[in-house]
Amino acid sequence: MACVYIPVQNSEEEVRVALDQLPRDASDILDILKAEQAPLDLWLIIAREYFKQGKVEQFRQILEEGSSPEIDEYYADVRYERIAILNALGAYYTYLGKIETKQREKEEHFILATQYYNKASRIDMHEPSTWVGKGQLLLAKGEVEQASSAFKIVLEADRDNVPALLGQACVEFNRGRYTDSLEMYKRALLVYPDCPGAVRLGIGLCRYKLGQFEKARQAFQRSLQLDPENVEALVALAIMDLHANEATGIRSGMEKMQRAFEIYPYCAMSLNYLANHFFFTGQHFLVEQLTETALAVTNHGPTKSHSYYNLARSYHSKGDYEKAGLYYMASVKEINKPHEFIFPYYGLGQVQLKLGDFRSALTNFEKVLEIYPDNCETLKALGHIYVQLGQVEKAQELMRKAAKIDPRDAQAFIDMGELLISSDTSAALDAFKTARTLMKKGGQEVPIEVLNNIGVLHFEKEEFESAELSFKDALGNGIWLTLLDNKVNTYSVDASASIFQYKDTQLYHRLEEDGHIVELPWNKVTVLFNLARLLELLHNSEAASILYRLILFKYPDYGDAYLRLAAIAKARNNLQLSIELVNEVLKVNGKHPNALSMLGDLELKNDDWVKAKETFRAASDATEGKESYSTLSLGNWNYYAALRNEKRAPKLEATHLEKAKELYTRVLVQHTSNLYAANGAGVVLAEKGHFDVSKDIFTQVQEAASGSVFVQMPDVWINLAHVYFAQGNFALAVKMYQNCLRKFYHNTDSQVLLYLARTHYEAEQWQDCKKTLLRAIHLAPSNYTLRFDAGVAMQKFSASTLQKTKRTADEVRSTVAELENAVRVFSQLSAASNLHLHGFDEKKINTHVEYCKHLLDAAKVHREAAEREEQQTRQRQEAARQVALAEEARRKAEEQKKFLLERRKQEDELKRVRQQEEHFQRVKEQWKSSSSKRRERPENEDDEGGHSEKRRRKGGKRRKKDKSSKSRYDTLDAEADMMDDPEELDDEDANMNYRESHHMNDQDDDAGENAQDRLAAAGLEDSDAEDEMLSSSAFRRRRALSESDDDEQYGKQTTSSPMRDKTAELQDSDDEVREDDNKMNGDTGFEDD
């Protein structure tokens, strides 16, 4: 039993106080402490014991009394104990401020704690415990940097101060520096190994944040060994078990959470996890209790955020979106940044999307996408939001991204297909087909809705066979297969009869008697209706009506089936039956807007204008003006009323047109894409003369209506053509009428043909007008108006032809034929017995007949004149033709003569070229023979040795004397020297032969030398001969000198010598041969000196 002893003043006795038996009233113990002036450490021990026993009020009373001014004055010399008491009070108020949830009380507690710590600092500003307390206070207030400064002051003085180390570790943990925090905890544990289990808890949390889960688990387990009731360690281990995502781990984790709750039922973390567990078990009452308790006991932002999130989820799952939104918002407010806890943003976005607050939902989902950019669910949610905001392209982009991230997510493709239905039917169809393929591969059953959408999209693209297959795939097996087989003929024969017998159920009873099960599940009714609609479009009205009757047999209140049967009857012009079928719908629902609108149309077709107007008003009132069809029908009624009153009451025309415009505009304000309202507004504007505006409207409507099987609007094409006609643009009007006929009526509508004929008439295209009217008469032979118009067109054509200043005989003959036809047409109309029924005046027709006969008489005169002129013109043309033929013959003769001359010239040229080639070949052969002889002579000269040398020397002297030859061959000496070179033998031989042929006067000398050479070769020498040679040579030189003198004198009298003339002639002849050779061989030629 722990106890303390209080010494009695002025005595050796002591008062013994048992710590486990402290009085409930702290005043008694305070009286003893004051009376005996007990040491202040005893005051602190007793106060701490009160705190341990949970008697916080007594603890506070003793410490506040121990820090009173009287005590401070009495114990002025006691410093440490006074500081300890003040620090204890500061720590106490810091704890109160930390757990307080109300901001005002929290701040008051922190102010008191600050006052006590400041008072302690005034006693000793260097006391480490005071700075540690201040650091804890600042950390509780969230001032992490200032808290770090306080702890560092202590650690600078004593680096092993355990409280400061632990405080700094908390600071680093809050900063996110988990490694530094772990080092601080380790140092504290090394300095003081007997630290409480909370230190191991801090180590475990650091290990967990660093991803060292096994070491973190060991730290938490060690903390539990030191303190088996450590709630934080139990919660941490439980969280680790839950995150294992295993059945055993989840079970173990929940057991630890339950144990922590039993130890301390106010642990917010354990309360949140328990609430999360009970949320998935569906025990929402426990969820709400646990989260409300957690919110009451904690002031930690992230913890409160989790509590609010659990509470919001509970209300969200129950459908209470208002409360769920409030708690989601509270959870978001407790978070500083979205990445800390993103789930409440996602939940808040879902609730806002459900409540229609698309802008706010968009903001929250975008925050989620910033943290998780590849989250498919967020991408799909954003896609739906952008659709609602009208940003379809961005929505499609997000849907495609979601499908790309997870190509096996069939739901993503389904959502993308639903998104693309209104904008891109082909892409939507591909998306639905992909989803169907993925589901089949995954073994999942393809929803009927997906198959129905595929069928509808095929239907829109006019791929009717694929649409039928999809609808049948969605329907599966059932009675409809029997009805669609050939067996159906045994039960029903005529479609009209099946419509008349729409109340007769004997057909289906007979099917049941034959063993067929006549069942139609509710989720297949829409698919069966679409299949019947397809068959109706394919003109299989019999099968369609039987399927409609099957729907009515199982679901008698299905009004759309009645309306489709009424439409079939209306198409067969059975208005009475159609009205009866519509009334069947009104019996079930007297305010059915579609039935009322259809009834109004039928009454209008029956020419019952008053009833039709009342019916249209009833349809508009049934939807409170929100349903556009009834309002549109009222606008049509006013427009038709304006046309009817155009002649009877012109003032009412403007009134009805203005009312029609107002109703069309009202529809466009509600539904900006309503094509029929836009078309009606364009018609009213055109009637008022605003053609440019109405043309723009019709063009936009035409573009929007193109490419959809559900929107067939030939009226807008006709209206646009009318506008072109009114503006005088007849070419475009004709083109528009023709396109409308081809696209919508297969060129078989007589009324549109009449519009086209009128356009041709105004464009003065009389023949095209007549042809168009004849086509219309072929389609509607009983329409006498078309015949009258054809007669007028022929009459107009004839009159315009006769008014021409220049016309051919063919044109006049055609005019006569047209007039005869016009007279015949008008005569037939005049003779008709029921002429007045068609609105014709007999006098007017007779006037046309007389006018046509008058034109016919005039045309005959013109025809005779035209024929005479034509004959004359033909004769003139024949004469001109004969002249032209003669001129052409002369020109051809000249061309033939010129051609013959040119050909003869070419033949002469070719002959001359051949002669030159033959001459060149002969010269070439001579050169070759001369070359062969020269090859033999060098061999003999080599054998004779000195004689050949002498002959070459003499030959050189002769060449010097031959001045006339030198003038022609400037390079003769060089060629003589080149004779010794074997490689140039052929060329030199050719040159020598050529020279010898031109120097016949030197042959005697050469003969003498040859004889002398032969003697020398035989070894016989003649000295006299040498002397004779010397003398003869000297004589020749003298003679040459004398001849040269004579030549000079003679040269003065003559301009040239015979040798020079001969050389020139040879030169000219040689040049001619060379030129001929160059002509024949192009760039190839022989080198010639």
Side-chain angles (χ1 to χ4, degrees):
M1 182 186 302
C3 60
V4 295
Y5 295 91
I6 301 174
V8 178
Q9 191 175 9
N10 300 324
S11 173
E12 295 180 358
E13 296 181 359
E14 295 177 336
V15 178
R16 179 176 175 274
V17 178
L19 295 179
D20 58 346
Q21 296 179 1
L22 292 174
R24 183 179 298 273
D25 188 1
S27 301
D28 297 337
I29 195 69
L30 279 173
D31 292 339
I32 296 173
L33 293 172
K34 289 179 180 180
E36 302 302 334
Q37 297 181 355
L40 290 179
D41 59 340
L42 295 178
W43 291 56
L44 191 58
I45 291 170
I46 294 171
R48 187 168 60 239
E49 190 62 30
Y50 270 120
F51 187 80
K52 288 180 180 180
Q53 295 177 11
K55 299 175 181 179
V56 179
E57 187 61 32
Q58 290 83 343
F59 161 79
R60 184 184 60 78
Q61 185 179 357
I62 291 174
L63 290 182
E64 287 180 351
E65 190 66 30
S67 61
S68 62
E70 295 83 3
I71 299 298
D72 289 342
E73 183 179 356
Y74 184 78
Y75 294 97
D77 295 335
V78 181
R79 299 166 60 87
Y80 180 76
E81 286 78 3
R82 289 167 56 198
I83 290 174
I85 291 174
L86 291 171
N87 288 341
L89 283 170
Y92 169 69
Y93 283 107
T94 298
Y95 170 74
L96 290 179
K98 191 175 181 180
I99 65 174
E100 181 60 52
T101 57
K102 297 181 180 179
Q103 189 63 28
R104 184 174 180 181
E105 284 77 359
K106 179 190 289 289
E107 292 178 358
E108 290 178 356
H109 292 315
F110 286 149
I111 290 172
L112 288 175
T114 303
Q115 292 175 356
Y116 284 116
Y117 282 129
N118 290 337
K119 188 175 180 181
S121 295
R122 286 195 292 270
I123 297 174
D124 185 2
M125 64 178 300
H126 299 291
E127 175 59 36
S129 60
T130 304
W131 285 107
V132 171
K134 286 184 176 181
Q136 295 291 344
L137 172 61
L138 293 170
L139 197 60
K141 292 168 68 176
E143 300 173 3
V144 179
E145 298 300 327
Q146 296 181 12
S148 177
S149 301
F151 293 133
K152 286 181 179 179
I153 291 173
V154 179
L155 291 174
E156 287 175 359
D158 182 9
R159 63 184 304 273
D160 293 334
N161 188 293
V162 175
L165 287 171
L166 296 177
Q168 187 64 25
C170 292
V171 169
E172 299 297 340
F173 189 88
N174 288 329
R175 287 175 173 174
R177 301 174 182 174
Y178 304 117
T179 303
D180 297 339
S181 177
L182 180 61
E183 293 299 325
M184 291 291 178
Y185 279 123
K186 286 181 178 180
R187 282 178 56 189
L189 195 59
L190 289 173
V191 174
Y192 185 56
D194 296 332
C195 285
V199 178
R200 270 79 176 182
L201 180 66
I203 292 174
L205 292 175
C206 291
R207 297 282 190 188
Y208 185 82
K209 289 292 186 179
L210 292 172
Q212 303 171 5
F213 301 116
E214 192 58 35
K215 291 185 177 181
R217 183 182 294 276
Q218 293 175 2
F220 294 142
Q221 290 174 350
R222 177 59 178 163
S223 180
L224 279 178
Q225 290 177 1
L226 297 175
D227 184 6
E229 295 186 354
N230 191 313
V231 176
E232 289 80 2
L234 279 171
V235 171
L237 285 171
I239 292 173
M240 294 186 72
D241 290 338
L242 291 173
H243 287 178
N245 288 330
E246 296 178 357
T248 57
I250 294 173
R251 189 179 300 107
S252 175
M254 291 312 302
E255 289 176 356
K256 289 184 176 66
M257 284 292 182
Q258 186 176 359
R259 182 183 169 194
F261 177 75
E262 292 172 354
I263 295 172
Y264 183 62
Y266 302 106
C267 178
M269 188 69 73
S270 63
L271 290 171
N272 283 336
Y273 273 93
L274 288 171
N276 182 68
H277 170 73
F278 289 121
F279 171 77
F280 287 107
T281 60
Q283 299 174 340
H284 298 289
F285 176 73
L286 292 176
V287 173
E288 294 169 9
Q289 280 191 336
L290 291 170
T291 51
E292 288 175 357
T293 304
L295 289 170
V297 299
T298 186
N299 195 33
H300 184 244
T303 305
K304 290 181 69 176
S305 178
H306 281 75
S307 301
Y308 282 125
Y309 174 70
N310 287 331
L311 198 57
R313 278 198 306 175
S314 178
Y315 285 110
H316 192 174
S317 63
K318 292 191 297 185
D320 193 347
Y321 300 112
E322 296 290 341
K323 284 188 177 180
L326 293 174
Y327 286 118
Y328 279 131
M329 187 66 71
S331 177
V332 167
K333 289 180 179 179
E334 296 294 337
I335 304 171
N336 295 325
K337 296 180 180 179
H339 67 83
E340 294 178 359
F341 188 42
I342 197 63
F343 294 129
Y345 288 96
Y346 188 86
L348 182 59
Q350 286 179 315
V351 170
Q352 290 169 340
L353 181 60
K354 190 72 176 179
L355 295 176
D357 189 359
F358 302 115
R359 295 290 180 183
S360 301
L362 178 64
T363 302
N364 289 302
F365 281 120
E366 285 179 344
K367 290 180 180 179
V368 177
L369 197 64
E370 291 177 2
I371 308 301
Y372 298 102
D374 295 336
N375 185 270
C376 292
E377 298 300 326
T378 305
L379 289 170
K380 290 187 284 186
L382 283 171
H384 288 294
I385 292 173
Y386 280 120
V387 170
Q388 298 298 328
L389 294 176
Q391 302 180 24
V392 181
E393 294 182 358
K394 199 164 186 178
Q396 293 176 1
E397 180 183 353
L398 291 171
M399 288 296 185
R400 289 191 180 97
K401 184 178 179 181
K404 185 177 181 181
I405 291 172
D406 189 3
R408 294 176 295 179
D409 186 0
Q411 187 61 41
F413 285 99
I414 292 174
D415 293 340
M416 185 168 64
E418 291 176 352
L419 175 63
L420 293 170
I421 283 178
S422 59
S423 59
D424 190 350
T425 54
S426 298
L429 182 60
D430 293 338
F432 284 128
K433 287 182 177 179
T434 304
R436 180 182 63 183
T437 304
L438 290 173
M439 289 181 175
K440 288 183 178 180
K441 286 183 178 179
Q444 303 177 15
E445 184 179 356
V446 182
I448 295 176
E449 294 80 5
V450 175
L451 296 173
N452 181 61
N453 289 339
I454 293 174
V456 171
L457 291 174
H458 280 302
F459 184 56
E460 285 188 358
K461 296 179 69 176
E462 300 184 12
E463 299 171 355
F464 300 124
E465 293 182 2
S466 300
E468 185 175 359
L469 291 175
S470 298
F471 289 141
K472 290 182 178 179
D473 190 12
L475 288 170
N477 296 325
I479 187 61
W480 42 86
L481 295 179
T482 303
L483 295 173
L484 293 175
D485 287 340
N486 293 330
K487 298 176 182 179
V488 74
N489 295 328
T490 61
Y491 299 102
S492 178
V493 176
D494 188 13
S496 61
S498 66
I499 295 174
F500 279 114
Q501 299 170 0
Y502 65 91
K503 292 183 179 180
D504 187 11
T505 59
Q506 293 182 1
L507 169 65
Y508 307 102
H509 291 303
R510 288 201 304 270
L511 288 171
E512 290 178 345
E513 292 174 358
D514 293 341
H516 298 287
I517 301 175
V518 183
E519 294 292 338
L520 179 60
W522 63 270
N523 59 344
K524 294 184 179 181
V525 174
T526 302
V527 185
L528 188 63
F529 180 84
N530 290 337
L531 179 59
R533 186 73 182 84
L534 172 63
L535 295 173
E536 181 183 348
L537 187 67
L538 294 174
H539 307 290
N540 192 353
S541 301
E542 178 184 355
S545 62
I546 291 175
L547 294 181
Y548 290 138
R549 289 175 57 198
L550 174 61
I551 296 173
L552 293 174
F553 174 68
K554 300 301 294 184
Y555 302 94
D557 297 339
Y558 198 86
D560 290 340
Y562 281 113
L563 294 179
R564 292 315 309 167
L565 290 172
I568 294 174
K570 180 182 176 183
R572 294 174 177 273
N573 206 23
N574 194 339
L575 299 182
Q576 191 60 37
L577 177 59
S578 182
I579 292 173
E580 183 180 349
L581 289 165
V582 173
N583 286 328
E584 290 293 331
V585 181
L586 294 176
K587 289 178 182 178
V588 178
N589 181 7
K591 295 184 177 181
H592 195 290
N594 293 339
L596 289 171
S597 298
M598 190 172 185
L599 181 60
D601 287 337
L602 293 170
E603 290 171 345
L604 199 61
K605 200 173 183 65
N606 253 354
D607 209 17
D608 195 346
W609 287 74
V610 178
K611 282 187 177 182
K613 185 176 182 179
E614 292 177 356
T615 305
F616 286 139
R617 284 182 176 175
S620 180
D621 295 339
T623 57
E624 298 179 357
K626 296 179 181 179
E627 205 277 323
S628 59
Y629 188 84
S630 57
T631 307
L632 189 63
S633 299
L634 277 174
N636 294 338
W637 186 93
N638 281 276
Y639 173 70
Y640 293 137
L643 296 182
R644 287 169 63 89
N645 293 320
E646 184 176 357
K647 295 181 179 179
R648 299 177 184 175
K651 294 183 179 179
L652 290 177
E653 178 189 0
T655 304
H656 285 300
L657 285 177
E658 192 62 32
K659 184 64 176 179
K661 179 183 177 182
E662 178 186 348
L663 292 169
Y664 292 141
T665 306
R666 186 188 305 173
V667 175
L668 287 173
V669 170
Q670 294 177 353
H671 307 282
T672 55
S673 59
N674 192 302
L675 302 181
Y676 298 97
N679 182 55
V683 169
V684 174
L685 290 171
E687 290 289 346
K688 291 185 176 182
H690 305 297
F691 297 119
D692 291 333
V693 180
S694 62
K695 182 173 67 176
D696 293 339
I697 294 174
F698 291 142
T699 303
Q700 294 179 18
V701 174
Q702 180 192 28
E703 292 175 355
S706 299
S708 176
V709 71
F710 291 110
V711 182
Q712 297 290 331
M713 292 188 66
D715 294 346
V716 70
W717 295 66
I718 296 173
N719 292 334
L720 190 56
H722 287 346
V723 171
Y724 286 134
F725 176 84
Q727 289 182 329
N729 197 342
F730 302 120
L732 286 178
V734 167
K735 186 176 181 180
M736 194 62 63
Y737 285 131
Q738 290 175 345
N739 291 337
C740 180
L741 277 169
R742 182 176 59 255
K743 183 177 178 65
F744 300 103
Y745 300 108
H746 306 287
N747 296 317
T748 58
D749 188 90
S750 60
Q751 187 64 35
V752 181
L753 286 171
L754 181 60
Y755 296 149
L756 180 59
R758 181 191 176 193
T759 307
H760 286 309
Y761 183 86
E762 294 294 334
E764 298 183 359
Q765 299 169 354
W766 320 114
Q767 291 297 97
D768 293 333
C769 176
K770 186 189 74 171
K771 292 178 181 178
T772 306
L773 288 170
L774 291 177
R775 286 172 56 192
I777 292 171
H778 178 73
L779 294 171
S782 60
N783 190 338
Y784 285 7
T785 303
L786 298 175
R787 298 175 182 271
F788 178 81
D789 292 340
V792 171
M794 289 185 284
Q795 173 187 319
K796 192 68 176 178
F797 168 73
S798 302
S800 64
T801 304
L802 293 176
Q803 290 174 0
K804 289 182 179 179
T805 56
K806 293 183 178 181
R807 50 189 176 271
T808 64
D810 291 335
E811 289 179 345
V812 177
R813 282 192 289 269
S814 176
T815 301
V816 172
E818 292 293 338
L819 285 172
E820 291 175 351
N821 289 332
V823 171
R824 189 179 303 110
V825 169
F826 288 130
S827 299
Q828 289 177 353
L829 292 175
S830 178
S833 60
N834 53 353
L835 189 64
H836 62 281
L837 297 177
H838 300 282
F840 295 127
D841 186 4
E842 186 175 358
K843 294 182 179 180
K844 184 176 181 180
I845 293 179
N846 291 331
T847 302
H848 279 286
V849 172
E850 295 298 329
Y851 180 70
C852 288
K853 288 181 178 179
H854 171 71
L855 287 178
L856 183 59
D857 295 337
K860 290 179 180 179
V861 175
H862 288 293
R863 181 180 62 182
E864 294 175 356
E867 287 177 351
R868 288 193 301 272
E869 184 178 355
E870 183 181 15
Q871 182 66 24
Q872 296 174 359
T873 302
R874 190 180 298 110
Q875 292 175 357
R876 288 194 297 270
Q877 290 176 349
E878 180 63 24
R881 189 178 67 83
Q882 294 297 332
V883 172
L885 289 174
E887 181 67 22
E888 181 68 18
R890 186 188 62 78
R891 184 183 60 79
K892 288 183 178 180
E894 291 180 355
E895 289 181 354
Q896 183 68 18
K897 182 178 180 181
K898 184 178 180 181
F899 172 74
L900 293 174
L901 290 174
E902 185 68 24
R903 189 173 65 179
R904 184 177 302 171
K905 184 178 180 181
Q906 291 177 356
E907 291 175 353
D908 294 342
E909 182 68 22
L910 290 174
K911 183 178 181 181
R912 187 179 66 83
V913 170
R914 283 195 300 270
Q915 291 175 355
Q916 290 177 354
E917 288 180 353
E918 292 173 357
H919 175 70
F920 176 73
Q921 291 295 332
R922 288 195 299 271
V923 173
K924 189 175 180 181
E925 291 296 332
Q926 292 176 2
W927 287 351
K928 287 183 179 180
S929 61
S930 300
S931 298
S932 61
K933 291 179 181 180
R934 292 298 299 169
R935 291 192 189 98
E936 294 175 357
R937 281 170 52 186
E939 295 177 358
N940 296 330
E941 291 173 358
D942 291 341
D943 294 339
E944 293 174 358
H947 292 284
S948 64
E949 180 65 28
K950 183 187 296 183
R951 188 166 54 251
R952 284 194 298 271
R953 194 164 48 244
K954 289 181 179 180
K957 290 180 180 180
R958 285 195 301 271
R959 283 192 295 273
K960 288 180 179 179
K961 289 190 297 181
D962 192 359
K963 293 182 180 181
S964 62
S965 178
K966 184 178 179 180
S967 64
R968 172 66 181 83
Y969 303 102
D970 296 331
T971 61
L972 192 61
D973 293 336
E975 292 177 354
D977 295 335
M978 290 171 63
M979 290 295 294
D980 297 334
D981 190 355
E983 295 178 357
E984 300 177 358
L985 185 60
D986 296 338
D987 295 336
E988 293 300 331
D989 291 340
N991 293 329
M992 285 297 295
N993 292 330
Y994 189 74
R995 283 195 299 271
E996 287 175 357
S997 66
H998 288 74
H999 298 283
M1000 301 300 296
N1001 57 343
D1002 294 334
Q1003 290 180 356
D1004 295 338
D1005 295 336
D1006 291 339
E1009 288 177 0
N1010 291 336
Q1012 190 70 24
D1013 290 340
R1014 285 193 294 270
L1015 290 175
L1020 299 176
E1021 294 183 359
D1022 189 358
S1023 60
D1024 294 334
E1026 291 181 359
D1027 293 337
E1028 288 178 359
M1029 289 179 62
L1030 291 173
S1031 61
S1032 64
S1033 64
F1035 174 76
R1036 281 195 301 270
R1037 282 195 297 272
R1038 286 194 300 269
R1039 183 181 176 182
L1041 289 173
S1042 63
E1043 288 177 355
S1044 66
D1045 294 334
D1046 295 336
D1047 291 338
E1048 288 179 0
Q1049 294 176 1
Y1050 183 77
K1052 294 178 181 178
Q1053 298 176 1
T1054 60
T1055 58
S1056 61
S1057 64
M1059 182 60 69
R1060 186 175 300 140
D1061 294 339
K1062 184 178 181 180
T1063 305
E1065 290 175 0
L1066 292 173
Q1067 175 72 25
D1068 295 336
S1069 64
D1070 187 51
D1071 291 340
E1072 290 177 359
V1073 171
R1074 188 182 297 108
E1075 288 175 359
D1076 295 337
D1077 183 57
N1078 289 335
K1079 290 180 181 177
M1080 289 185 290
N1081 297 290
D1083 295 335
T1084 304
F1086 292 95
E1087 293 182 0
D1088 192 10
D1089 295 329

